[in-house]
């Protein structure tokens, strides 16, 4: 259940936009039709829906459950499906197992067992070894130093964001990029 004790804390700390968060069990498209997809928590962008039956899916790896669930809430609101893990090793395992269904990976840069930077390196090596297209990998960290951003890019991350995140704009940027990519892929099939 998304309603929990820590969830109430989340709502108070993230502002008015989150307090108004309502996730429909069966998303409704602008046309008014109900859409049932892979999970009842996800839906499709209306432009992509005609060509692509799979919802946008993000892997979120963060050892802070508060941060992971807050980001998941915003991505669910945008109609995405999310896979949550709490460390770098689990992120690499999930990325390998679900590469074809993922549209992006969000890695906290400082996690136990395997850092986000090291996880990004392992995921990039897996993609190269298996001739897979590279997924966007977004690094998230509390460190705002320019050298941290440079290190994340050198590790293979697509983009680096510093905490605290502006959840609405962060989710919008990731989802817009994912839907844009899906639309390009769908249109290239014609």
């Amino acid at each position: 259940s998304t309603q929990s004790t820590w969830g109430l804390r989340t709502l108070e700390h993230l502002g008015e936009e989150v307090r108004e968060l309502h996730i429909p069990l069966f998303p409704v498209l602008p046309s008014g039709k109900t859409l049932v997809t892979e999970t009842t928590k996800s839906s499709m962008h209306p432009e992509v829906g005609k060509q692509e039956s799979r919802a946008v899916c993000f892997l979120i790896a963060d050892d802070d459950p508060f941060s992971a669930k807050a980001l998941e809430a915003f991505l669910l609101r945008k109609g995405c499906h999310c896979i949550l893990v709490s460390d770098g090793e689990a992120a690499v395992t999930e990325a390998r197992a679900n590469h074809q269904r993922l549209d992006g990976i969000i890695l906290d840069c400082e996690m136990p067992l395997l850092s986000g930077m090291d996880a990004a390196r392992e995921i990039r090596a897996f993609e190269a070894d298996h001739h897979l297209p590279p997924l966007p990998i977004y690094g998230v960290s509390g460190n705002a130093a320019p050298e941290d951003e440079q290190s994340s890019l050198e590790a293979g991350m697509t983009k680096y964001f510093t905490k605290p995140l502006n959840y609405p704009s962060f989710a919008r940027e990731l989802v817009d990029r994912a839907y844009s990519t899906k639309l390009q892929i769908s249109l290239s099939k014609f």
Side-chain angles (χ1 to χ4, degrees):
S1 166
T2 58
Q3 185 67 22
S4 65
T5 305
W6 75 263
L8 296 175
R9 188 184 75 157
T10 301
L11 297 178
E12 291 173 13
H13 284 49
L14 293 178
E16 192 62 37
E17 186 165 345
V18 180
R19 285 189 197 104
E20 297 301 317
L21 181 64
H22 299 285
I23 302 168
L25 286 178
F26 297 99
V28 178
L29 295 174
S31 66
K33 292 183 179 178
T34 301
L35 176 70
V36 179
T37 61
E38 173 186 336
T39 68
T40 58
K41 294 192 291 187
S42 60
S43 64
M44 296 179 290
H45 189 281
E47 292 178 41
V48 179
K50 294 179 180 125
Q51 295 92 16
E52 185 67 42
S53 62
R54 185 178 59 82
V56 167
C57 183
F58 287 99
L59 170 61
I60 302 171
D62 197 328
D63 58 328
D64 177 4
F66 172 78
S67 295
K69 286 301 221 175
L71 180 55
E72 179 189 35
F74 279 99
L75 290 170
L76 288 173
R77 186 175 188 187
K78 297 279 185 188
C80 300
H81 176 73
C82 298
I83 300 170
L84 302 178
V85 296
S86 60
D87 64 70
E89 285 183 357
V92 171
T93 300
E94 287 295 328
R96 288 176 177 163
N98 294 297
H99 192 278
Q100 297 297 343
R101 72 182 277 224
L102 292 173
D103 296 290
I105 301 171
I106 303 156
L107 298 174
D108 181 18
C109 291
E110 296 87 29
M111 289 186 288
L113 302 180
L114 189 67
S115 73
M117 305 272 195
D118 291 334
R121 286 184 192 93
E122 287 195 26
I123 293 166
R124 293 297 185 225
F126 172 79
E127 290 169 335
D129 291 347
H130 293 85
H131 309 288
L132 297 170
L135 291 170
I137 299 176
Y138 304 98
V140 178
S141 175
N143 299 326
E147 57 269 15
D148 292 323
E149 180 174 3
Q150 185 59 36
S151 296
S152 73
L153 297 175
E154 289 171 1
M157 293 184 177
T158 308
K159 195 163 181 180
Y160 180 83
F161 295 90
T162 57
K163 292 179 182 179
L165 292 173
N166 177 330
Y167 287 99
S169 65
F170 179 69
R172 185 172 39 257
E173 181 173 339
L174 271 59
V175 172
D176 287 351
R177 178 180 178 150
Y179 281 129
S180 173
T181 301
K182 282 179 136 341
L183 185 58
Q184 289 172 5
I185 291 169
S186 293
L187 293 176
S188 72
K189 294 178 183 176
F190 290 101

